[in-house]
Amino acid sequence: MAMENTMKTTITSPLHTQKLLRRATFNRLYMAVYAVAIIALIYRHLTHTLFSNTLIITIPLLLADLTLAFRWATTQSFHFRPVRFEEFPEKLENFAKETGVELPRVDIFICTADPYKEPPIVTVNTALAVMAYEYPTEKISVYVSDDGGSQVTMFALMEAANFARHWVPFCRDNHVLLRSPEVYFTSNSCNPSLPQVLNLKKLYEDMKFRVEKALESGKVEVDDDNMRQMFSKWTDDFTRQTHPSVIQVLLSSVKDKDVSGVLTPNLIYVSREKSKLHHHHFKAGALNTLVRVSASMTNAPIMLTLDCDTYSNDPQTVKRALCYFLDPTIRPMLGYIQFPQQFRGLNKGDIYFSEQKRLFQFQPLGMNGLQGPNYVGTGCFFQRRTFFGPPSSIIHPELIELRHDHLVKGPIGSPEVLQLAYLVAACDYENQTQWGAKIGFRYGSLVEDYNTGYKMQCEGWRSIFCHPKRAAFLGDSPITLIDILVQCKRWMIGLLDVLFSKYSPLTLGVRRLGLLMGLAYTHLAFWSVLAVPITVYAFVPQIALINGISIFPKASEAWFYLYIFMYVAAYGKDLLDFMLEGSTVERWWNSQRMWMVCGVSSYLFACVEYCLSSLGIAVHGFSLTSKIQDDEQSKKYDQGKFEFGVASPLFLPITVSALLNLVSFVTGLWQVYSGGIDSMEGLILQIMLSGIVVLSGWPMYHAMLFRTDSGRMPPKISFIAAFLVSILCVLPAAFLKISDLLH
């Protein structure tokens, strides 16, 4: 109800501002010029390609360029009106006093699923960081969803509850900026010579030792009746796939106090019931369980979703979000506030392009000027009301206790409250309800974040991208190539699920959101279709070059300069965007490399797997990215070395492409050397293309030929790739001769 009162207040001093970025004018001019170049390129294809005697080569190039043209057109929606918001959290308390508005309660959701891929101590640090927010502790409730149902994870959170009694007042009294204990104790901000810090660090190290010991043994040593009761549900029949609900209140803001005598935040462990007879919808299902359980226990009007490895890096973050939620001029339509995903521990060049600046920074800035950014799964504050239908109407859940405006009766750990929490955490509770369809996080895709944010905006909600100078959240990124590629493939399949559904952004999105916003979501949904142009340009021009066939304009032709202009303009604009957002040339270059690597692996495999699944031949599932940091792998990552190691099929097309481009580049140079300037004039663009791929493919060549460590390219992959390249170098010549005869 405190949130509703803001509707009646008038803000005399703004809590936030917004600014159209100056680059918008340049972006629009660039769009006009580049659009003319694309039209000219398509015209050349229609007048030259379709009348070529090598249609077997030129038709794929036409298809590739049409796909790239469509992708370019959709991406301009992000550049048309980029807007940056700025908030003023220091004004929030004065605003609350002047208007009489009470600061709302906040429910924080942290999701984990496998203690061996997501170490419990990482989850503990994430929980402790948000419990120590610069915010009234009695208004914070932290719910940790353990979808793996691990007793080790609950034990770790029990340890965290004890440590929080010391950690939260320490952060509050000493104005600590880094509120993740692991980060603080390893930072320059920590002064271990101070007795208080030294004692606190020892408490943390002892806790960490006990948690890691329990993880190593795989079970918890139960040494008293209280613990025996808490862990009584972990029987011999308890498995990851089949187990009862476990809901345990570890800290209660009603009765538990820290060492300074101040009430602690709530801390609740939740593991929803699972059965082999029910579909569990992966992360979206776990989040919907948290929405219901939290409604039955605290029902805060504001909710924050976090991955288990995404710790808070700024204690003012809740207040930053409230600068928007408490503004009565935008609140009625404001569904969520998305902070960017940012990562700690990236090596200097970010060799795997883990920061994903386009996805997490450029594109949200562009969507800010429209209806706001998409939801990216973590670091996002929601109004609870958003999960119950459009702004103009409310879809009431089946129980009055789950409504967004219901006042919880009874303390958080009371029998009647827990009874309801267990009821709504049951695996069959959602049967014959609208959960996942019209209420809560949405089902139907492996990327529940994209799917949920997109459908919420189609209902009329808008969002805001909040990107303060100090990162609000920092997470861990994968440090091996296979983890990156598997994660990327999962994203691509999930996006295809939405693209080819009845909710496709190309149809429903454009109708509901308007052209620009619909194209923005379409751009994301079509991400994996990049496999077509990337694969074509990684193989077709190279095969033609090996066979001495010129498929691009000669250097003496006017069309030659069109190709040069389009290449320089596209890559130059992309580099400019990177530099304007504080990145480096090295990181931009590595982003281009990963664009090509993913194009012939993750994107391609995702398209194939989705097609097979649609035909009922294969079924894709959710694969969890490992958060384990192996010391040897971390060392190689810090040195900027790609980690291969495993003989994954995903590595095969990458290796084939690298070897084929090397052969075609050398062959092209030889043809120029032996044929003179006339040969160079007709083949220069193909030689340049192969040269760029060869230059970016150095990590693959290094891993195949020079490395002997565990991260080298598996010899099996190298041998198979070499065999396939030899076939590609010989077999197409026969098809080309047949094509000539037919023509």
Side-chain angles (χ1 to χ4, degrees):
M1 295 300 293
M3 291 286 289
E4 300 296 337
N5 292 335
T6 63
M7 298 284 293
K8 303 175 183 179
T9 63
T10 301
I11 297 179
T12 56
S13 180
L15 295 174
H16 61 86
T17 60
Q18 67 180 66
K19 178 182 178 183
L20 179 67
L21 300 185
R22 288 182 294 178
R23 70 189 76 162
T25 302
F26 171 76
N27 288 347
R28 294 170 188 178
L29 179 62
Y30 166 81
M31 291 175 203
V33 174
Y34 206 82
V36 173
I38 290 176
I39 294 172
L41 177 65
I42 302 302
Y43 172 79
R44 182 189 181 275
H45 271 297
L46 295 177
T47 56
H48 291 72
T49 300
L50 296 181
F51 300 97
S52 169
N53 61 351
T54 55
L55 289 177
I56 196 171
I57 288 179
T58 54
I59 290 296
L61 290 175
L62 172 60
L63 179 62
D65 284 346
L66 288 173
T67 305
L68 288 173
F70 178 77
R71 285 282 300 178
W72 179 87
T74 58
T75 199
Q76 299 318 301
S77 56
F78 299 113
H79 301 286
F80 192 80
R81 197 174 185 274
V83 166
R84 192 184 302 277
F85 281 82
E86 183 179 3
E87 59 287 334
F88 310 107
E90 66 277 3
K91 298 181 180 180
L92 190 63
E93 291 186 10
N94 287 335
F95 165 79
K97 291 178 182 178
E98 292 173 2
T99 59
V101 173
E102 182 182 350
L103 295 179
R105 300 185 311 279
V106 180
D107 286 344
I108 302 174
F109 301 160
I110 300 173
C111 294
T112 186
D114 186 341
Y116 296 99
K117 289 187 176 181
E118 299 171 330
I121 196 64
V122 173
T123 305
V124 162
N125 275 276
T126 298
L128 288 168
V130 293
M131 291 171 71
Y133 267 139
E134 199 67 39
Y135 201 70
T137 54
E138 70 277 8
K139 292 181 180 291
I140 294 177
S141 300
V142 179
Y143 294 83
V144 179
S145 169
D146 176 19
D147 223 27
S150 169
Q151 58 178 317
V152 177
T153 301
M154 192 173 88
F155 172 74
L157 291 169
M158 291 169 59
E159 291 285 338
N162 291 329
F163 183 72
R165 300 174 191 270
H166 303 269
W167 177 247
V168 172
F170 170 77
C171 292
R172 180 178 60 241
D173 297 341
N174 295 279
H175 305 289
V176 173
L177 190 59
L178 301 172
R179 302 203 172 182
S180 164
E182 185 74 29
V183 176
Y184 174 74
F185 290 128
T186 56
S187 71
N188 295 328
S189 304
C190 176
N191 185 356
S193 62
L194 296 177
Q196 185 183 14
V197 175
L198 187 63
N199 292 335
L200 198 61
K201 185 176 182 181
K202 186 177 185 307
L203 286 175
Y204 175 74
E205 293 296 338
D206 290 344
M207 175 189 70
K208 184 177 180 180
F209 173 78
R210 290 190 295 270
V211 170
E212 292 181 343
K213 181 181 178 182
L215 180 63
E216 184 179 354
S217 65
K219 60 180 181 179
V220 176
E221 296 296 333
V222 178
D223 52 12
D224 59 50
D225 291 339
N226 185 42
M227 285 189 66
R228 190 170 292 108
Q229 182 180 358
M230 294 175 70
F231 288 94
S232 61
K233 292 191 177 182
W234 275 273
T235 63
D236 294 339
D237 297 328
F238 193 110
T239 67
R240 285 176 51 87
Q241 295 78 25
T242 306
H243 61 77
S245 299
V246 182
I247 302 174
Q248 189 68 49
V249 178
L250 303 174
L251 283 177
S252 170
S253 62
V254 176
K255 61 178 182 179
D256 292 317
K257 296 182 179 180
D258 60 35
V259 293
S260 66
V262 177
L263 290 171
T264 66
N266 292 316
L267 177 62
I268 304 98
Y269 170 89
V270 179
S271 183
R272 57 177 172 154
E273 182 186 15
K274 280 191 173 182
S275 168
K276 293 181 180 179
L277 300 177
H278 295 85
H279 186 62
H280 300 293
H281 302 289
F282 304 111
K283 186 178 176 182
L287 284 168
N288 276 337
T289 299
L290 288 183
V291 172
R292 296 192 298 270
V293 170
S294 65
S296 68
M297 302 182 85
T298 49
N299 209 27
I302 303 296
M303 300 184 298
L304 166 64
T305 63
L306 288 176
D307 287 340
C308 66
D309 64 324
T310 307
Y311 70 87
S312 171
N313 189 55
D314 179 4
Q316 297 288 324
T317 299
V318 174
K319 293 182 178 179
R320 290 188 183 278
L322 292 181
C323 287
Y324 302 101
F325 283 129
L326 293 183
D327 183 347
T329 62
I330 63 173
R331 181 184 172 272
M333 306 294 288
L334 180 57
Y336 58 88
I337 297 168
Q338 178 66 65
F339 288 80
Q341 279 205 50
Q342 295 177 273
F343 303 96
R344 63 170 180 165
L346 296 178
N347 60 19
K348 181 182 177 183
D350 187 18
I351 57 173
Y352 299 136
F353 189 43
S354 297
E355 65 178 355
Q356 291 281 353
K357 269 192 174 292
R358 297 183 191 88
L359 176 63
F360 296 140
Q361 294 184 35
F362 303 163
Q363 294 171 359
L365 281 174
M367 298 175 85
N368 244 357
L370 304 174
Q371 277 103 311
N374 58 305
Y375 168 45
V376 298
T378 185
C380 188
F381 287 86
F382 289 90
Q383 285 200 74
R384 186 178 289 270
R385 163 70 181 85
T386 312
F387 291 100
F388 298 95
S392 57
S393 62
I394 299 176
I395 303 174
H396 290 297
E398 55 289 339
L399 293 176
I400 191 173
E401 292 88 352
L402 300 183
R403 295 184 181 182
H404 72 283
D405 54 356
H406 177 72
L407 294 178
V408 177
K409 299 176 182 178
I412 189 172
S414 63
E416 58 273 18
V417 168
L418 285 176
Q419 182 181 9
L420 178 59
Y422 274 104
L423 171 66
V424 299
C427 59
D428 60 350
Y429 179 79
E430 293 182 354
N431 294 348
Q432 309 302 316
T433 71
Q434 298 189 79
W435 285 95
K438 295 183 178 180
I439 297 179
F441 292 86
R442 309 306 165 84
Y443 303 150
S445 171
L446 290 178
V447 282
E448 80 294 326
D449 44 8
Y450 171 92
N451 193 29
T452 297
Y454 163 63
K455 289 180 179 176
M456 284 179 172
Q457 293 196 326
C458 284
E459 292 174 351
W461 295 104
R462 74 146 297 160
S463 59
I464 286 175
F465 179 59
C466 184
H467 188 192
K469 292 181 180 179
R470 179 176 179 82
F473 304 99
L474 289 174
D476 293 324
S477 65
I479 60 172
T480 65
L481 183 59
I482 188 61
D483 279 342
I484 289 285
L485 296 182
V486 169
Q487 180 186 62
C488 186
K489 181 167 75 78
R490 184 180 76 235
W491 290 351
M492 298 304 106
I493 293 173
L495 291 171
L496 288 172
D497 285 330
V498 182
L499 177 63
F500 293 108
S501 72
K502 63 180 180 180
Y503 304 104
S504 175
L506 193 56
T507 53
L508 178 70
V510 172
R511 289 201 310 270
R512 294 281 183 87
L513 302 173
L515 180 62
L516 289 179
M517 196 68 179
L519 288 179
Y521 272 108
T522 299
H523 178 85
L524 295 170
F526 264 97
W527 196 347
S528 61
V529 183
L530 274 173
V532 174
I534 295 175
T535 304
V536 168
Y537 274 103
F539 289 91
V540 175
Q542 292 77 2
I543 292 173
L545 179 58
I546 291 170
N547 289 275
I549 300 172
S550 175
I551 58 175
F552 294 130
K554 295 182 179 180
S556 58
E557 297 176 2
W559 292 110
F560 174 86
Y561 297 100
L562 174 66
Y563 277 80
I564 294 297
F565 166 76
M566 294 186 73
Y567 179 86
V568 173
Y571 281 83
K573 174 65 166 58
D574 195 49
L575 175 59
L576 177 63
D577 288 338
F578 268 69
M579 302 303 288
L580 287 174
E581 289 302 314
S583 193
T584 64
V585 174
E586 182 182 9
R587 290 196 170 194
W588 170 81
W589 172 254
N590 285 329
S591 79
Q592 301 304 318
R593 171 189 288 138
M594 286 304 298
W595 183 74
M596 291 185 280
V597 166
C598 291
V600 296
S601 57
S602 298
Y603 302 170
L604 183 62
F605 275 64
C607 290
V608 172
E609 189 171 322
Y610 179 81
C611 291
L612 292 176
S613 177
S614 300
L615 296 172
I617 298 175
V619 177
H620 49 256
F622 185 87
S623 53
L624 195 65
T625 304
S626 175
K627 308 297 191 304
I628 299 292
Q629 301 287 333
D630 179 86
D631 290 340
E632 182 182 353
Q633 291 176 346
S634 296
K635 182 178 180 181
K636 285 180 286 189
Y637 176 76
D638 292 338
Q639 293 172 347
K641 294 181 179 180
F642 272 57
E643 179 74 23
F644 295 95
V646 296
S648 170
L650 285 166
F651 293 155
L652 187 57
I654 300 170
T655 312
V656 171
S657 173
L659 290 176
L660 180 65
N661 276 270
L662 180 60
V663 171
S664 66
F665 182 65
V666 173
T667 303
L669 293 179
W670 173 254
Q671 289 175 356
V672 169
Y673 173 77
S674 59
I677 193 67
D678 291 338
S679 297
M680 181 176 183
E681 186 182 28
L683 300 175
I684 184 170
L685 285 177
Q686 286 161 263
I687 294 173
M688 290 172 59
L689 177 61
S690 292
I692 291 171
V693 177
V694 168
L695 187 62
S696 65
W698 167 248
M700 275 61 79
Y701 305 130
H702 184 237
M704 283 187 284
L705 303 174
F706 303 108
R707 287 175 60 179
T708 58
D709 57 63
S710 60
R712 71 185 186 279
M713 182 68 74
K716 178 181 177 180
I717 297 292
S718 300
F719 290 141
I720 295 175
F723 174 72
L724 293 176
V725 168
S726 65
I727 294 176
L728 290 174
C729 291
V730 176
L731 194 60
F735 286 104
L736 290 172
K737 291 179 181 179
I738 295 173
S739 178
D740 289 339
L741 292 174
L742 293 175
H743 184 80

